[in-house]
């Protein structure tokens, strides 16, 4: 049915508004609120309307824009050659139409096929054989300078045997096994899981601490190269480019290959698709490029897409089932996570009965209702996710879902702070919050109480033996009663109580992290511990000191100040001391008069007598704050052997401390 221009404009405005919101969450906040399938479908709908009414196309249309916007966290850097997106093909017909366009130039050509890695696009520049700069795609014209973080990825060469001004482009990803480990760790710490490997990779690259990048074991596949000064290709074909990049030490996809015509391309796509679930990384399609690079300028490009390449998107492995219920779970901070109870359905060989729905906005964006027939897929081939409802199977009797107002665990009101998408239960005595808090407190990154499982915690809470974290250390008084419980033997009880006892002298940073102070992660807990040295010192500090001297930012500073000034928390901290937890002895006393105390420091180059981690540890022990990028707030640039000239040029000389050995700073 043909629509009027007025109706078309209204539809376009609604779709643009929706796509913009989805894009900001996906690209800028690393928090996708709809699946790629839903986004692509809505974008395709927009393209069809714009094709019928081209006069309604605007510069801000999602069909005309590449990616997201550069973050303010890192230095904004322009691309010498724009990093364009790719147009999409969804079926064989789209591929044949693409081939017809290439064929119209009346030149001999072949294709080169590569898996489309579902990761984070990156541009890396080399000069005189050395890695000098790495920039994220950003909006295609300008990205973020993440050079120090890129250097932590072990399969990216820091030097190459080619002295030309080479820019390589690639896709950063997290291997699926590593992704599983990261999310498992986040669950144990009561942190929000990453939605998929792509967002985990993107969030990791934007970390201010390069050590986190190294810890998460990112990888890269490189797929492109050119001379960034002359803007010319380095080799004649894409096949030669990949082979030469591989010879220079760059990782390239082993699934890439050359095809002589579009029919062979389609056959190759099917072969890769069959291997898809056996790969240790996410791919969401295949990229098809004209192999002969001299033809690229002849074929041309649009403002958003090159015309000589296209991305074939795999149809998602989606199964439909019935949404039987929407229910909430409460984390240790009180954050509400909504979940779907599903009629069991098999996906990739496993039975799925639950799926994440994230938050109320996610449910409302998809307009899900109990009783709906919904599409389920595994995000990252791991976490089941609801991505749509089948409109043709919705009955008029299905009631529109509204977000919960009451916590199901304690019957207290749920709150949503202004500007936040998440709801919270603020009742600190909520059973769910208590159990999750105890689980977090005993986790590996916090107090590391070995052998204290969630089932044990639930049992001890049910018996009213544990009401708060301090009560864990009073379980020794319940030894005889524990032994009477089913499944508890002398040895297991002895091991559990011994494990609890030996954590009494953990570092202060572990205790601070274990207390689950909102917005306070491991690094901030470590900074606070090294600055103050004891619970008493933190209790006696002012909000102004936390905000201005510690430079934590208003949200974190307020969270810490409020926590330690809450009467209930003061009572808990007093109880913690009474049960014998003594975190002071492992904290090194910091001389606050030293020149580095509370100063922001950037490190460049190497020391002859210390590794980078040892240098960082040296400054942290002096109460300094280590950052990866320079800003007007940087107090000192520590320049070791072969420092970055780029960093030296960007800071006042009086702020530069040139050293060869760390002993010079003692």
């Amino acid at each position: 049915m043909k629509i009027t221009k007025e109706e078309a404009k209204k539809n376009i405005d609604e779709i643009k508004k929706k796509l913009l919101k989805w894009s900001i969450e996906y690209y800028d906040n690393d928090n996708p609120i709809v699946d790629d399938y839903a986004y692509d479908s809505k974008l395709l709908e927009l393209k069809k309307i714009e094709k019928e009414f081209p006069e309604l196309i605007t510069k801000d249309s999602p069909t005309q824009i590449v990616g997201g916007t550069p973050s303010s966290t890192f230095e904004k850097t322009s691309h010498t050659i724009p990093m364009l997106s790719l147009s999409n093909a969804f079926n064989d017909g789209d591929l044949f139409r693409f081939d017809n366009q290439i064929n119209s130039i009346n030149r001999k050509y072949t294709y080169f096929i590569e898996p489309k890695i579902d990761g984070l696009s990156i541009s890396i520049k080399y000069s005189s054989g050395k890695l000098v700069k790495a920039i994220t795609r950003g909006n295609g014209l300008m990205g973020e300078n993440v050079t120090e973080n890129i250097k932590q990825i072990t399969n990216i060469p820091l030097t190459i045997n080619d002295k030309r001004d080479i820019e390589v482009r690639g896709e950063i990803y997290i291997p699926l096994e590593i992704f599983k480990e990261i999310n498992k760790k986040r669950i144990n710490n009561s942190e929000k899981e990453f939605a998929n490997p792509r967002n985990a990779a993107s969030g990791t690259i934007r970390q201010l601490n390069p050590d986190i990048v190294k810890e998460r074991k990112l990888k890269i596949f490189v797929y492109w190269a050119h001379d960034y000064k002359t803007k010319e290709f380095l080799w004649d074909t894409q096949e030669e480019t990949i082979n030469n990049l591989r010879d220079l030490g760059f990782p390239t996809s082993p699934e890439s290959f050359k095809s002589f015509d579009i029919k062979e391309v389609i056959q190759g796509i099917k072969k890769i698709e069959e291997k898809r679930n056996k790969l240790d990384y996410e791919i969401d399609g295949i990229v098809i490029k004209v192999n002969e690079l001299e033809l690229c300028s002849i074929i041309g490009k649009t403002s958003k897409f090159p015309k000589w390449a296209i991305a074939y998107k795999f149809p998602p492995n989606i199964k439909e089932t019935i949404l039987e219920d929407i229910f909430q779970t409460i984390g240790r901070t009180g954050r509400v996570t909504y979940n779907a109870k599903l009629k069991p359905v098999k996906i990739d060989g496993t039975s799925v009965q639950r799926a994440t729905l994230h938050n109320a906005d996610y449910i409302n964006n998809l307009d899900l209702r109990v009783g709906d027939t919904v599409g389920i897929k595994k995000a990252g081939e791991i976490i089941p996710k609801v991505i749509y409802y089948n409109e043709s199977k919705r009955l008029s009797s299905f009631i529109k879902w509204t977000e919960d107002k009451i916590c199901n665990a304690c019957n207290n009101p749920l709150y949503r702070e202004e500007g936040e998408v998440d709801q919270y239960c603020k009742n600190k005595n909520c059973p769910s919050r208590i159990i999750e808090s105890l689980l977090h407190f005993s986790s590996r990154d916090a107090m590391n109480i070995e052998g204290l499982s969630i089932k044990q915690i639930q049992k001890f809470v049910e018996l009213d033996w544990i009401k708060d974290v301090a009560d864990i250390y009073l379980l020794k008084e319940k030894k005889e009663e524990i032994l009477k419980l089913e499944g508890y033997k002398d040895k297991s009880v002895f091991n559990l109580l011994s494990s609890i006892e030996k954590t009494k002298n953990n570092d202060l940073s572990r205790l601070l992290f274990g207390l689950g102070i909102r917005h306070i992660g491991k690094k901030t807990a470590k900074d606070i511990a090294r600055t103050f040295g004891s619970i008493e010192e933190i209790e006696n500090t002012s909000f102004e000191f936390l905000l201005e001297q510690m430079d934590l930012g208003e949200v974190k500073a307020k969270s810490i100040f409020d926590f330690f000034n809450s009467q209930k928390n003061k009572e808990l901290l007093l109880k913690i001391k009474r049960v014998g937890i003594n975190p002071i002895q492992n904290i090194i006393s910091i001389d606050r008069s030293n020149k580095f105390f509370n100063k922001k420091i950037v490190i460049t180059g190497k020391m002859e007598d210390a590794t980078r981690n040892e240098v960082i540890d040296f400054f942290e022990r002096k109460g300094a704050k280590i950052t990866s990028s320079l800003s007007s707030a940087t107090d000192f640039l520590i320049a070791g052997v072969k420092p970055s000239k780029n960093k030296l040029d960007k800071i006042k000389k009086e702020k530069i401390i040139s050293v060869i050995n760390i002993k010079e700073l003692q």
Side-chain angles (χ1 to χ4, degrees), residues 429-573:
N429 293 318
C430 172
S432 287
R433 288 191 65 178
I434 291 171
I435 289 169
E436 291 293 334
S437 296
L438 293 167
L439 191 62
H440 171 75
F441 183 84
S442 59
S443 67
R444 184 179 298 176
D445 288 333
M447 294 300 277
N448 193 24
I449 302 176
E450 296 178 3
L452 186 59
S453 68
I454 186 169
K455 287 186 178 180
Q456 290 172 325
I457 289 172
Q458 288 170 334
K459 186 66 177 176
F460 296 150
V461 169
E462 181 187 324
L463 291 167
D464 208 27
W465 293 350
I466 300 180
K467 296 178 182 177
D468 55 44
V469 296
D471 285 339
I472 293 173
Y473 296 85
L474 298 176
L475 282 174
K476 60 185 179 182
E477 298 175 5
K478 301 281 186 183
K479 181 179 178 181
E480 297 305 318
E481 292 170 80
I482 295 173
L483 284 169
K484 294 176 183 177
L485 298 175
E486 186 179 348
Y488 286 85
K489 305 295 181 186
D490 283 335
K491 187 175 181 181
S492 63
V493 173
F494 173 80
N495 288 341
L496 174 60
L497 297 179
S498 297
S499 177
I500 293 170
E501 199 68 18
K502 75 178 183 181
T503 65
K504 284 183 174 179
N505 294 322
N506 276 346
D507 287 347
L508 176 60
S509 62
R510 283 185 172 274
L511 175 61
L512 290 175
F513 181 61
L515 287 171
I517 306 169
R518 196 173 174 207
H519 303 301
I520 305 305
K522 284 193 301 178
K523 184 180 183 304
T524 304
K526 190 176 180 182
D527 290 341
I528 294 168
R530 283 183 162 156
T531 299
F532 294 99
S534 71
I535 289 290
E536 289 79 8
E537 285 290 314
I538 304 172
E539 286 178 310
N540 293 326
T541 195
S542 67
F543 172 74
E544 287 71 25
F545 183 88
L546 292 167
L547 180 64
E548 296 169 10
Q549 299 300 313
M550 285 288 292
D551 195 25
L552 293 174
E554 189 169 347
V555 173
K556 287 184 179 181
K558 187 176 187 305
S559 185
I560 296 164
F561 184 78
D562 288 350
F563 182 90
F564 284 95
N565 282 275
S566 155
Q567 186 57 40
K568 184 170 183 178
N569 289 334
K570 284 179 179 288
E571 292 169 5
L572 173 64
L573 293 169

Side-chain angles (χ1 to χ4, degrees), residues 130-157:
K130 295 180 180 178
L131 191 159
V132 293
K133 187 171 285 188
I135 312 167
T136 61
R137 176 175 12 202
N139 62 12
L141 300 175
M142 182 177 289
E144 304 156 46
N145 185 341
V146 291
T147 307
E148 292 306 313
N149 283 352
I150 288 300
K151 289 179 179 178
Q152 309 307 313
I153 301 176
T154 56
N155 71 340
I156 293 179

Side-chain angles (χ1 to χ4, degrees), residues 32 51-52 138 175 199 342 353 359 537 638-639 644 652:
K51 186 176 181 180
E52 188 175 350
N199 287 88
L342 306 166
Q353 301 178 58
N359 51 53
E537 285 290 314
I638 308 301
S644 162
K652 294 177 181 178

Side-chain angles (χ1 to χ4, degrees), residues 117-130:
I117 311 300
D118 193 12
L120 176 73
S121 297
I122 197 80
S123 157
I124 308 174
K125 293 181 177 179
Y126 291 80
S127 179
S128 300
K130 295 180 180 178

Side-chain angles (χ1 to χ4, degrees), residues 630-648:
L630 292 169
S631 72
S632 58
T634 302
D635 294 298
F636 296 110
L637 175 67
I638 308 301
V641 180
K642 296 181 180 179
S644 162
K645 186 176 183 303
N646 184 43
K647 281 189 168 68
L648 293 175

Side-chain angles (χ1 to χ4, degrees), residues 80-130:
T80 40
I81 298 176
M83 291 188 75
L84 300 178
S85 185
L86 292 173
S87 59
N88 292 328
F90 297 97
N91 51 52
D92 291 356
D94 291 341
L95 292 175
F96 280 116
R97 280 186 285 276
F98 168 72
D99 183 59
N100 287 337
Q101 291 176 352
I102 304 300
N103 193 42
S104 66
I105 65 170
N106 294 317
R107 298 282 291 270
K108 186 176 180 181
Y109 61 91
T110 56
Y111 289 117
F112 196 79
I113 314 305
E114 302 162 26
K116 185 175 181 296
I117 311 300
D118 193 12
L120 176 73
S121 297
I122 197 80
S123 157
I124 308 174
K125 293 181 177 179
Y126 291 80
S127 179
S128 300
K130 295 180 180 178

Side-chain angles (χ1 to χ4, degrees), residues 101-328:
Q101 291 176 352
I102 304 300
N103 193 42
S104 66
I105 65 170
N106 294 317
R107 298 282 291 270
K108 186 176 180 181
Y109 61 91
T110 56
Y111 289 117
F112 196 79
I113 314 305
E114 302 162 26
K116 185 175 181 296
I117 311 300
D118 193 12
L120 176 73
S121 297
I122 197 80
S123 157
I124 308 174
K125 293 181 177 179
Y126 291 80
S127 179
S128 300
K130 295 180 180 178
L131 191 159
V132 293
K133 187 171 285 188
I135 312 167
T136 61
R137 176 175 12 202
N139 62 12
L141 300 175
M142 182 177 289
E144 304 156 46
N145 185 341
V146 291
T147 307
E148 292 306 313
N149 283 352
I150 288 300
K151 289 179 179 178
Q152 309 307 313
I153 301 176
T154 56
N155 71 340
I156 293 179
L158 300 181
T159 60
I160 58 174
N161 189 25
D162 195 316
K163 303 300 182 184
R164 290 178 288 182
D165 298 306
I166 295 178
E167 177 182 358
V168 299
R169 292 180 174 179
E171 202 79 9
I172 295 169
Y173 66 93
I174 289 184
L176 292 179
E177 285 303 313
I178 302 299
F179 177 68
K180 290 179 187 176
E181 292 174 13
I182 291 170
N183 263 351
K184 183 177 180 182
K185 187 175 180 181
R186 292 177 75 85
I187 292 169
N188 290 341
N189 291 338
S190 294
E191 294 179 271
K192 191 174 181 179
E193 297 171 77
F194 285 117
N196 52 53
R198 186 265 171 203
N199 287 88
S202 180
T204 300
I205 284 298
R206 290 181 172 90
Q207 288 288 331
L208 292 177
N209 182 358
D211 288 340
I212 295 176
V213 184
K214 189 173 184 178
E215 179 187 318
R216 289 186 182 164
K217 301 176 183 177
L218 301 181
K219 298 288 183 184
I220 191 173
F221 279 133
V222 171
Y223 56 76
W224 195 250
H226 57 250
D227 185 309
Y228 60 85
K229 287 189 176 177
T230 66
K231 300 184 180 181
E232 294 179 353
F233 294 114
L234 300 167
W235 296 283
D236 293 334
T237 68
Q238 178 66 6
E239 183 181 32
E240 289 176 19
T241 299
I242 294 298
N243 290 337
N244 282 293
L245 286 173
R246 195 178 295 133
D247 290 342
L248 287 172
F250 292 100
T252 61
S253 172
E255 309 303 328
S256 304
F257 59 90
K258 178 181 176 181
S259 288
F260 288 92
D261 57 45
I262 200 68
K263 290 182 180 178
E264 193 175 348
V265 167
I266 292 170
Q267 291 172 355
I269 288 173
K270 291 176 181 176
K271 289 180 181 178
I272 294 178
E273 193 168 8
E274 288 171 3
K275 294 182 181 179
R276 182 183 178 189
N277 292 330
K278 298 176 183 177
L279 301 174
D280 189 33
Y281 47 88
E282 273 280 275
I283 64 173
D284 59 358
I286 303 294
V287 177
I288 301 106
K289 300 174 184 174
V290 171
N291 189 37
E292 291 71 24
L293 299 179
E294 66 174 351
L295 300 181
C296 292
S297 59
I298 298 172
I299 298 168
K301 62 183 180 181
T302 69
S303 62
K304 187 175 180 181
F305 306 120
K307 293 182 179 180
W308 40 265
I310 197 167
Y312 175 85
K313 299 294 285 284
F314 289 139
N317 186 7
I318 298 170
K319 294 294 178 73
E320 290 194 345
T321 188
I322 304 299
L323 175 60
E324 296 183 336
D325 194 15
I326 296 173
F327 65 97
Q328 59 174 252

